[in-house]
Amino acid sequence: MPMLRRSEYPRPLLPKYARVKSWSAFERGLMFWTIKEKNGVFQIAGQSKRADRGWRTDLDRTINFPLNTTADDVVDRMIAIVQEEVAKNRDYKINN
């Protein structure tokens, strides 16, 4: 299968459906989290932008779960985090 040239890539769909003008505009409002599991221990970690446009783990927004925490419990906590962040953003936009 031949590789596409950069100019041949189709336009990304995400900005259209996120109602932003560009991928970089989408990234500016992005909240990035990771969920990791190692040897039965889960971790949720918020990520912060680096100067080089990469991401790094934000230790202030990292939750380490006790051994034998279920995946369902971790997902429930992640859902709560997302809901809290959305509420904060909504309050910020209303008040500013």
Side-chain angles (χ1 to χ4, degrees), residues 31-35 44-47 55 58 61-63 78 81-82 85:
M31 286 183 278
F32 181 40
W33 295 81
T34 60
I35 299 176
I44 294 175
Q47 304 293 308
W55 297 89
D58 183 343
R61 297 186 307 148
T62 297
I63 302 167
M78 188 70 248
I81 289 169
V82 169
E85 293 292 332

Side-chain angles (χ1 to χ4, degrees), residues 16-75:
K16 174 183 174 184
Y17 292 103
R19 295 187 179 133
V20 294
K21 291 184 179 186
S22 66
W23 187 262
S24 60
F26 175 77
E27 267 192 341
R28 278 193 295 276
L30 189 67
M31 286 183 278
F32 181 40
W33 295 81
T34 60
I35 299 176
K36 298 178 183 176
E37 182 271 330
K38 185 175 182 179
N39 299 324
V41 177
F42 286 95
Q43 178 188 71
I44 294 175
Q47 304 293 308
S48 298
K49 289 279 256 180
R50 296 187 321 220
D52 67 358
R53 296 187 59 162
W55 297 89
R56 66 173 172 75
T57 299
D58 183 343
L59 297 178
D60 292 333
R61 297 186 307 148
T62 297
I63 302 167
N64 294 302
F65 291 86
L67 182 63
N68 297 324
T69 300
T70 67
D72 286 344
D73 290 338
V74 175
V75 169

